[in-house]
Amino acid sequence: MQTIAFDIDADGIATLTIDVPGQTMNVIGPDFIADMDAAITRIASEEGIKGAVIASGKDSGFMAGMDLKFFGSMLAKAGDAPAPAALYDDLFVLNALFRRLETSGKPVACAVEGTCVGGGFELALACHRRFVGDSSKTQLGLPEILIGLFPGGGGSQRLPRIMGVQAALMYMLQGKLFRPAEAAMLKVVDAVVPQGTAVEAARDWVKANPNANTQPWDVKGYKVPGGAGGFNPAFVQTMAGALPMTLKQTQRNMHAPIALLSAVYEGITLPMDRAIQIESKYFARVAADPQASNMIRTLFVNKQAAERGARRPKDQPKAPTRKLAMLGAGMMGAGIATVAAQAGIEVVLFDRDLAYAQKGKAHVEAVLKKRLGKGMTPEKLAETLARVTPTTDYADLARADFVIEAVFEDVSIKAEVTKKVEEVLGADTIFGSNTSTLPITKLAQAWTKPENFIGVHFFSPVEKMPLVEIILGEKTGPAAIAKALDFVAQIKKTPIVVHDSRGFYTSRSFGTYVQEGAELVGQGVNPALIENAGKQLGMPTGPLAVSDEVSIELGWKIMSAAKKELGDAYVPQGSDDIMVKMVEAGRLGRKNGKGWYDYPEGAKKHLSPVLGEMFPRAAEQPAVEAVKERLLYRQLIECARCFEEGVLETPEDGDIGAIFGWGFAPYTGGPFSHMDTVGIAHVVAVLDRLAAAHGPRFAPTAQLREMAASGATFYRPVPAKAAA
């Protein structure tokens, strides 16, 4: 066996220790499936084996889910547009395997130390007893819904039979994970034992219970906790409420949650052998849908590749940051200081006013205090906070090996600060700017060695937002890229790498969503219709709400600065006049209590009735689908322009940046995955129609037209026939 060590002790108890070679975490692949199949055969057939314990040989945890590269190869084998029936047999293999385990005729206990999720947790559910080592870092559960799938190894059938349908659906539909004590309370695991003793506890149980070889659902008279079936009022109420709630939460965009509900509804009253067939039927439908493969590619495979340094220059030595010079102690600077200090990095938090610098450190403390009892102890809090030193003295920046600037968005102010820092640290130090819109190439002129100057664009709130956009100026060198990416890895964020442009990639493309929303208002479209269309599209909030959050005034300032900088080269947008009108009316956004929405004290925000007076409503309103189309395609064409202009080098960065940067509809896998899925020719046709109706901002790029003609896609630049 390549992935499982099979040992039998003097009591006849077999211990299966899973250790998948070449993987930091155990995953389910073809070798593991073959080895587990052989192991189950031995357990069931050898009389000398009285029972078995399944454990992990890795310090990283028990087991994650399916090896997604293996999963992708199964999909590829079935062709470009596989029918569910073509996938069913391959996908049912895991279900059949776990069913063989629980019906082997021998007691099987699972000893979980560390992470146990996805297919790994489904393996645990198929065991007759589950022991978990107590650790605050241990998580268990079925998070598949978050990448466009649902539990396909029996999890959708076993978990409801253990904890009841309503509770199980709550966890599975949200991809919510259990901590050990919570899992024990809900009877998902049988015992929480001191960390490091799970194997011993499992072995003792198997030895003491030689006849405990049958699952509860295989015992005659078994009843699902809380009840199930069409004649059970609680079950009917749960399922009747679950569907509309799920449709509302997903805006009818996600396919996996509905398939999960169907699998549970149909399978819960059937014998397990039939129930897992029902699960695999619906799982095959989801797997065959491009939505799942797009989400897996972006949210898991490409995200992990980015975090592991896919864009890092290979010839550069590791360059971890030990002392960070953080310039600016506002919300962004204080947030960056927080995540850096948590990563063990010494931080000098600089501001022109000591009170502001101290306020920045107070922010760090406040964030850390919220985490007390959640892995944070008072001792660890004090240790982390001690790494942050507020100051107004440039001399305190001495010996810093990385600089991040987050001062006011003004070229001259940034240049002044940059030059003063160079006087202390020298131009060999890597300097990063957290600007969200100002061109890095221009800002780099204030640093003597522009090859050591780079953009490091964080998103607010820094502590929660996972993305960091690394921006390369015209002269940015490989050492700066490596330094920035190593810092992002230290603070456990996800990076993308883009080239210089006003607004770069994320701010520029995200801005079109807000601009199109404003333009629709200016054309007399009902603001409520616009907001609902944005949410139905799959965006986190409507374009007007997000405009209020980031500040209408900020958008106006960015627009005014671009006009001043570009002069005659500036291309006016229809939304420009709308923003000017809002700012002149004093409607600046949430920060002053009135923007597109009103924010009455102590009451819920609401779209302002003033909007009807400022922008008279058109007599004829567009269909919601037409509004959704404009909001979507205005973003798509800007992303495509960024790709054509070389701001983006890869569609992977484009998809990751869109979803994790501004919340682009996750179910699509990102704008480039979406364009590939619906077809580039279709995208061009829609853009041509929109350009004819609404103006050149929708005009397709030359590259899109070439791709449509050749059959190329973003993820397959060479057409399939040509590649063959």
Side-chain angles (χ1 to χ4, degrees):
M1 293 184 185
Q2 299 179 49
T3 65
I4 299 173
F6 194 107
D7 300 296
I8 306 173
D9 66 14
D11 295 312
I13 298 170
T15 299
L16 283 62
T17 306
I18 305 168
D19 192 351
V20 179
Q23 299 282 358
T24 55
M25 171 69 76
N26 287 324
V27 290
I28 296 171
D31 291 337
F32 169 78
I33 289 173
D35 289 347
M36 181 57 75
D37 184 58
I40 294 170
T41 297
R42 286 193 63 185
I43 293 168
S45 62
E46 294 185 18
E47 289 187 12
I49 296 177
K50 306 304 180 184
V53 171
I54 301 177
S56 169
K58 292 189 184 292
D59 294 334
S60 57
F62 179 77
M63 183 174 246
M66 182 76 74
D67 179 345
L68 291 177
K69 291 181 181 178
F70 168 55
F71 184 74
S73 70
M74 279 198 293
L75 298 183
K77 186 177 74 172
D80 282 343
L87 293 170
Y88 178 87
D89 288 343
D90 284 342
L91 294 173
F92 186 69
V93 166
L94 191 65
N95 246 329
L97 185 73
F98 291 165
R99 183 60 177 156
R100 282 190 62 217
L101 178 68
E102 69 181 2
T103 58
S104 65
K106 308 283 179 65
V108 180
C110 189
V112 175
E113 298 280 2
T115 299
C116 177
V117 295
F121 189 59
E122 289 178 295
L123 169 59
L125 294 178
C127 294
H128 303 106
R129 203 76 171 178
R130 290 166 289 282
F131 296 87
V132 179
D134 195 9
S135 169
S136 61
K137 295 181 180 179
T138 294
Q139 291 183 303
L140 312 97
L142 301 169
E144 291 92 336
I145 209 83
L146 302 178
I147 56 170
L149 296 172
F150 73 92
S156 75
Q157 303 305 310
R158 292 188 179 91
L159 193 63
R161 284 167 169 80
I162 292 171
M163 63 187 299
V165 173
Q166 184 177 26
L169 283 176
M170 183 184 77
Y171 279 85
M172 290 190 291
L173 286 169
Q174 297 178 37
K176 188 178 176 184
L177 300 179
F178 304 92
R179 294 292 182 183
E182 179 185 11
M185 180 183 71
L186 294 169
K187 313 236 181 267
V188 175
V189 301
D190 298 290
V192 177
V193 298
Q195 188 175 6
T197 68
V199 172
E200 181 183 353
R203 192 177 286 122
D204 289 344
W205 179 84
V206 171
K207 183 178 178 180
N209 296 274
N211 298 317
N213 56 12
T214 306
Q215 293 281 33
W217 42 86
D218 289 324
V219 176
K220 187 176 181 179
Y222 163 79
K223 292 183 179 180
V224 176
F231 294 103
N232 183 280
F235 176 76
V236 171
Q237 186 176 4
T238 293
M239 299 307 299
L243 180 60
M245 285 177 62
T246 300
L247 291 174
K248 180 182 178 181
Q249 289 170 356
T250 64
Q251 296 292 336
R252 298 176 181 266
N253 290 319
M254 292 282 292
H255 303 156
I258 306 305
L260 170 61
L261 287 173
S262 298
V264 172
Y265 180 78
E266 293 181 26
I268 194 66
T269 57
L270 297 176
M272 183 60 74
D273 289 312
R274 181 70 184 117
I276 57 176
Q277 292 175 353
I278 295 291
E279 179 190 81
S280 288
K281 175 185 75 172
Y282 283 105
F283 189 80
R285 291 183 186 179
V286 170
D289 192 308
Q291 182 176 102
S293 55
N294 286 348
M295 290 181 71
I296 290 168
R297 179 173 61 194
T298 298
L299 303 180
F300 192 86
V301 178
N302 292 343
K303 179 176 180 287
Q304 281 198 344
E307 291 165 352
R308 290 171 179 169
R311 302 298 308 281
R312 190 186 188 281
K314 306 302 180 193
D315 60 347
Q316 292 296 308
K318 286 290 183 184
T321 295
R322 293 180 173 80
K323 181 177 180 180
L324 174 68
M326 185 64 243
L327 312 178
M331 287 299 292
M332 292 300 289
I336 297 168
T338 301
V339 296
Q342 285 184 290
I345 299 168
E346 182 184 350
V347 181
V348 180
L349 187 55
F350 175 91
D351 209 294
R352 290 184 296 179
D353 187 310
L354 186 58
Y356 281 119
Q358 290 171 334
K359 184 179 179 182
K361 182 169 182 175
H363 170 87
V364 178
E365 184 176 15
V367 170
L368 297 177
K369 280 184 174 178
K370 289 179 182 177
R371 295 178 182 169
L372 283 170
K374 302 174 183 176
M376 177 66 67
T377 63
E379 295 77 19
K380 191 175 179 181
L381 188 153
E383 181 183 335
T384 304
L385 198 60
R387 297 190 187 110
V388 181
T389 304
T391 187
T392 59
D393 189 349
Y394 281 98
D396 290 337
L397 305 180
R399 295 183 301 282
D401 56 300
F402 190 36
V403 182
I404 297 180
E405 164 272 307
V407 301
F408 188 70
E409 285 284 274
D410 180 275
V411 173
S412 59
I413 293 174
K414 288 181 183 289
E416 178 188 348
V417 171
T418 301
K419 289 173 182 176
K420 288 183 178 179
V421 171
E422 184 176 326
E423 290 175 7
V424 176
L425 295 177
D428 288 332
T429 305
I430 306 300
F431 190 105
S433 175
N434 179 55
T435 180
S436 59
T437 57
L438 299 176
I440 293 300
T441 301
K442 182 162 188 174
L443 295 179
Q445 292 173 2
W447 198 250
T448 304
K449 292 186 176 181
E451 65 269 26
N452 291 334
F453 197 101
I454 194 166
V456 188
H457 177 206
F458 286 81
F459 297 77
S460 184
V462 174
E463 298 87 356
K464 293 182 180 179
M465 295 295 283
L467 189 77
V468 180
E469 185 178 28
I470 304 298
I471 307 108
L472 312 185
E474 289 178 6
K475 297 181 179 179
T476 300
I481 301 171
K483 183 72 173 179
L485 287 173
D486 287 350
F487 175 73
V488 173
Q490 281 178 273
I491 60 174
K492 295 181 170 56
K493 299 285 186 185
T494 304
I496 62 169
V497 179
V498 306
H499 288 270
D500 205 4
S501 164
R502 182 168 288 275
F504 319 126
Y505 168 61
T506 55
S507 295
R508 172 178 166 180
S509 300
F510 160 68
T512 62
Y513 177 59
V514 173
Q515 290 162 9
E516 197 62 26
E519 189 147 342
L520 283 159
V521 173
Q523 293 170 357
V525 178
N526 187 336
L529 171 58
I530 299 166
E531 293 293 84
N532 287 331
K535 286 184 279 189
Q536 287 179 26
L537 183 61
M539 301 296 288
T541 57
L544 307 181
V546 76
S547 177
D548 270 7
E549 293 297 328
V550 300
S551 165
I552 298 169
E553 184 184 36
L554 176 61
W556 170 77
K557 285 180 177 178
I558 292 171
M559 178 263 292
S560 301
K563 275 186 177 180
K564 182 180 178 182
E565 179 80 18
L566 299 175
D568 293 340
Y570 179 77
V571 179
Q573 301 292 322
S575 59
D576 291 357
D577 292 340
I578 309 298
M579 279 196 292
V580 170
K581 192 169 183 178
M582 290 291 284
V583 171
E584 288 177 346
R587 305 197 70 84
L588 309 181
R590 187 177 192 121
K591 71 176 189 177
N592 78 326
K594 54 181 181 178
W596 299 108
Y597 286 76
D598 285 332
Y599 299 86
E601 191 172 344
K604 191 176 179 181
K605 72 176 184 180
H606 56 81
L607 284 163
S608 177
V610 172
L611 299 181
E613 301 167 13
M614 294 178 67
F615 308 102
R617 199 75 46 84
E620 187 174 339
Q621 293 290 307
V624 67
E625 291 301 322
V627 178
K628 286 168 62 178
E629 185 178 68
R630 282 179 62 176
L631 293 173
L632 171 62
Y633 276 81
R634 184 63 187 92
Q635 295 177 79
L636 294 182
I637 184 55
E638 202 64 33
C639 293
R641 287 183 184 126
C642 286
F643 194 82
E644 183 179 66
E645 293 169 17
V647 176
L648 285 170
E649 286 186 15
T650 70
E652 289 90 342
D653 278 340
D655 282 342
I656 292 169
I659 291 177
F660 294 104
W662 74 88
F664 185 88
Y667 70 91
T668 64
F672 295 96
S673 289
H674 184 68
M675 286 188 277
D676 279 1
T677 299
V678 300
I680 304 300
H682 174 77
V683 171
V684 169
V686 173
L687 288 170
D688 277 333
R689 173 168 51 79
L690 291 173
H694 304 293
R697 67 185 180 280
F698 287 104
T701 63
Q703 185 182 51
L704 279 175
R705 292 194 188 281
E706 290 167 6
M707 291 169 68
S710 69
T713 67
F714 287 103
Y715 279 94
R716 191 185 289 168
V718 180
K721 289 182 180 178

